Amino acid sequence: FGVTALRWWCSVQLLWTCYFKAPGIAISQFHTSSPASAKQHYKMLVLGGGTGGIAMSSRMKRLVGAENVALVEPSEIHYYQPIWTLVGAGAKTVASSSRPTASLMPSGVKWVKSKVQEINPETNTVRTADGTEISYEYLIVALGLELHYEKIKGLPEGFEHPKIGSNYSVQTVEKTWKALQDFKEGNAVFTFPNTPVKCAGAPQKIMYLSDAYLRKTGKRAKANVIYNTSLPVIFGVKKYADSLWEIVKKRDLQINLRHNLIEVRADKQEAVFENLDKPGETKVIEYEMLHVTPPMGPSSVIKGSPLADEIGWLDLNKETLQHTKYPNVFGIGDCTNLPTSKTGAAVAAQSAVLSRTISKILKKEKPDKKYDGYTSCPLVTSYNTVILAEFDYNGQPLETFPFNQAKERRLMYHMKTDVMPHLYWHGLLRGLWGGPGPYRKIMHLGMK
Ligand SMILES: Cc1cc2nc3c(=O)[nH]c(=O)nc-3n(C[C@H](O)[C@H](O)[C@H](O)COP(=O)(O)OP(=O)(O)OC[C@H]3O[C@@H](n4cnc5c(N)ncnc54)[C@H](O)[C@@H]3O)c2cc1C
C-alpha cells in the first residue's frame, strides 16, 4: 500500500511538472552573469541564491520576464543542505549535495555575483560589496541565516582536532563521518543550541544514525549515546515527540533537556555545558565523538537595516509574506521571522504563496492566498527509517499521506533520500513545486 502511495504521489508530481507548469521554462547556463559594476535597475531584485532565492527567481522570471529579474549571490556552488545529515553518517557523499550555481540560475536572469552589503528600503536600493548600487521596484529577500560556531568557546579552531564534526557546514560535515568511523569507546555526544536553528530535527537525526552505525559495527555496547539539548522538549510537536521518546527509550539513548554547549576543549576531548534551568551550573563531559549544532542568528545585512524586527529577522506579515512596513519588499525562508520551523519544505510552501502575493500586488489587487506555516522535517531514525513530521504554525500535524506519519517507515526513508532531492533540483528550484499542499489534498481524496 505504501509503495503504491509513493508511486502515485510521484506520478502526480511528474504530471504537474510536465503538463501544467513546464511550458516556457528552461533552465540553462545561458543566464547573464557578471560582477556588479555600474548602477543597475531591476523591476524584481532577489537577494540570496539559496533554496528560496533560486526558486523565487524562477517564479519571477515567469511572472515578469527574465530581463526584469536580477539575483545577488556570491557563491559559485549551491548546496542541497538536507543531504548533509546523510553525508555525516556516511550514507551519501558531499559531492552529491552540490551543483554549480550557474547550472541552476534561470536562463536570462541577471546573476550579480557579489555580496549584498546594505539594503536601503527608503530609497529602494541595495549596495553590494564591490560598491555597486542596484535599484529595484520590488525586492525579495532570501538571505538565509548565519551560523555562529564562534559563540562556543574553543570553536571553530577546535574542528582542527579529530573526534568532532558538524553536519551544519560543508567544511565540517565530513568530520562527523570520520569521528563516527574512528569511534572506539566512550561518550558520543550530540548538541542543540540555545537559538532558533534550521531544520530543528537535524541535530538529533545524526544521533539516531550514529547509534545505528555503532550497533552495525558492534561498538554500541561500549558507547553512551547522549543528546544534550537547550530545548525543554525533544521535539516541538507532541505527536512526533511521543514517538521519538519511545525510540530513545528502546535504544537506550540519554536525553538531557535544557543543556547548552558553551565550550569545547578539543585538545582534551571535553565539552562544557551550562544547565539553563540552574544559572551558573556547568557540567564537563568527556567525549569520544562530538557533533556540534552551532548557535544561529539572523543575517547581519538584514539586522543592520530598517527591514529587521527587534531581533534582526526580516519582519513579515506571516500570511502574505509581505514586509510589515515596506509594501514592495517580500521575504522567504530562514531569514524571516515567520513563526514556523525553518526548513526547505517551508520554503517550498512559501514560494507558492509568495508568488501569488506578488502577482496580485502587480495587478494592484489584494493578496488572497495565505501561508499556514506548513513545514516538514523527515526525522531520520536509522539507515532505513524516517518519521515524516509535517505541521503548521500552530504545531498541528498537516500530513501528506493517509497513514500515521509518526510511525517509523522505510518508505519515508526512500522519500527523503531518493524522491526529495529530485523534487528539489528539478521542481522547487525551477519554481515548479510549491510543497505538498495541493498533493496532500489530492492524496487524501484519492485514498478515501
Ligand atoms: C544539516 C541540515 C539538514 C537539513 N535538513 C532538512 C530537511 O531534512 N528538510 C528540509 O526541508 N530542510 C532541511 N534543512 C534546512 C534547509 O536546507 C534550509 O531551511 C533552506 O535551505 C533555507 O533556504 P533559504 O533560501 O532560506 O536559505 P539558504 O538556502 O541557506 O540560502 C541563503 C543564501 O543567501 C546567500 N547569502 C547570504 N548572505 C548573503 C549576502 N550578504 N549577499 C548575497 N547572498 C547572501 C547564501 O550564499 C545562500 O546562498 C537542513 C539544513 C541543514 C544544514
Side-chain angles (χ1 to χ4, degrees):
F1 169 72
V3 175
T4 312
L6 179 63
R7 277 209 198 107
W8 193 24
W9 197 70
C10 292
S11 331
V12 173
Q13 303 292 342
L14 212 64
L15 264 172
W16 182 261
T17 302
C18 298
Y19 295 103
F20 299 113
K21 296 278 192 162
I25 298 298
I27 305 292
S28 77
Q29 265 86 310
F30 303 118
H31 58 83
T32 53
S33 112
S34 70
S37 48
K39 187 175 154 79
Q40 304 175 23
H41 177 83
Y42 290 92
K43 186 178 179 89
M44 200 63 70
L45 182 62
V46 182
L47 307 184
T51 311
I54 301 249
M56 286 312 297
S57 300
S58 299
R59 285 176 180 267
M60 290 305 104
K61 171 186 167 174
R62 210 147 65 222
L63 198 62
V64 298
E67 67 284 6
N68 294 312
V69 184
L71 186 154
V72 188
E73 166 62 53
S75 311
E76 295 276 358
I77 305 287
H78 179 105
Y79 291 101
Y80 176 50
Q81 303 166 43
I83 281 295
W84 291 346
T85 292
L86 300 165
V87 175
K92 292 264 181 184
T93 62
V94 78
S96 72
S97 71
S98 75
R99 300 247 170 122
T101 304
S103 69
L104 304 169
M105 289 288 294
S107 58
V109 164
K110 165 85 173 185
W111 176 11
V112 180
K113 220 182 277 183
S114 186
K115 263 188 129 169
V116 180
Q117 205 151 58
E118 203 180 306
I119 310 172
N120 299 304
E122 294 294 340
T123 54
N124 293 330
T125 56
V126 160
R127 199 164 47 77
T128 62
D130 55 9
T132 306
E133 198 172 90
I134 310 173
S135 54
Y136 60 82
E137 238 173 280
Y138 298 94
L139 183 71
I140 300 174
V141 186
L143 290 169
L145 51 66
E146 289 181 5
L147 306 177
H148 291 293
Y149 288 103
E150 80 289 351
K151 289 198 174 159
I152 298 168
K153 196 173 165 197
L155 295 184
E157 61 277 13
F159 285 112
E160 284 158 25
H161 291 261
K163 309 280 181 186
I164 170 170
S166 174
N167 290 355
Y168 273 84
S169 157
V170 72
Q171 273 96 38
T172 54
V173 61
E174 287 170 302
K175 291 177 191 285
T176 307
W177 175 223
K178 176 90 175 73
L180 185 53
Q181 284 173 295
D182 290 347
F183 190 98
K184 291 188 182 69
E185 61 181 297
N187 295 325
V189 182
F190 303 83
T191 73
F192 188 112
N194 195 18
T195 63
V197 301
K198 49 181 156 184
C199 193
Q204 64 183 288
K205 295 178 199 178
I206 185 62
M207 167 183 66
Y208 300 119
L209 285 162
S210 300
D211 170 67
Y213 179 80
L214 295 176
R215 286 177 194 278
K216 201 163 64 178
T217 51
K219 296 177 193 161
R220 183 61 178 90
K222 291 183 177 174
N224 299 311
V225 180
I226 302 168
Y227 182 60
N228 279 4
T229 171
S230 298
L231 298 177
V233 291
I234 192 168
F235 194 74
V237 179
K238 188 175 178 306
K239 173 171 180 176
Y240 308 112
D242 288 347
S243 300
L244 294 171
W245 277 120
E246 274 176 34
I247 292 168
V248 301
K249 270 187 218 137
K250 204 163 62 195
R251 299 188 196 160
D252 192 24
L253 310 170
Q254 189 184 319
I255 310 295
N256 298 313
L257 304 176
R258 304 288 286 153
H259 280 55
N260 180 37
L261 178 69
I262 53 171
E263 183 179 353
V264 177
R265 300 169 188 156
D267 52 339
K268 297 189 207 150
Q269 289 175 220
E270 287 177 355
V272 184
F273 292 87
E274 62 175 343
N275 184 333
L276 294 171
D277 288 333
K278 296 183 185 155
E281 189 180 300
T282 57
K283 191 169 17 174
V284 179
I285 302 185
E286 216 174 291
Y287 62 82
E288 167 69 359
M289 171 187 177
L290 177 65
H291 179 267
V292 178
T293 299
M296 300 177 206
S299 148
S300 43
V301 177
I302 298 174
K303 204 171 175 178
S305 81
L307 297 177
D309 69 5
E310 61 286 358
I311 299 170
W313 303 106
L314 187 74
D315 199 5
L316 294 187
N317 175 312
K318 69 177 202 165
E319 290 179 339
T320 61
L321 314 185
Q322 187 174 27
H323 195 269
T324 51
K325 291 189 212 85
Y326 299 95
N328 62 335
V329 177
F330 308 87
I332 185 165
D334 294 353
C335 68
T336 69
N337 66 353
L338 298 171
T340 192
S341 185
K342 297 177 186 299
T343 66
V347 169
Q350 289 162 19
S351 69
V353 175
L354 182 52
S355 205
R356 175 81 179 183
T357 292
I358 295 175
S359 74
K360 284 283 173 184
I361 283 171
L362 289 176
K363 288 188 241 157
K364 310 249 178 290
E365 291 171 15
K366 271 196 159 173
D368 60 351
K369 203 168 169 182
K370 292 180 180 172
Y371 175 53
D372 57 7
Y374 173 86
T375 188
S376 163
C377 184
L379 290 150
V380 183
T381 53
S382 77
Y383 283 91
N384 54 20
T385 51
V386 156
I387 286 175
L388 184 63
E390 294 183 290
F391 49 96
D392 65 9
Y393 275 137
N394 303 316
Q396 288 307 309
L398 270 184
E399 299 186 342
T400 299
F401 295 96
F403 46 66
N404 180 9
Q405 290 183 200
K407 220 176 137 214
E408 291 179 280
R409 288 177 194 276
R410 189 180 282 261
L411 176 73
M412 294 296 106
Y413 184 83
H414 291 301
M415 180 85 127
K416 156 91 187 159
T417 56
D418 306 323
V419 180
M420 292 315 294
H422 181 81
L423 280 177
Y424 184 83
W425 298 116
H426 305 291
L428 175 56
L429 294 189
R430 294 182 182 202
L432 301 174
W433 186 61
Y439 315 115
R440 189 169 58 231
K441 287 177 197 122
I442 292 166
M443 288 299 298
H444 282 278
L445 283 175
M447 287 294 170
K448 267 180 187 165

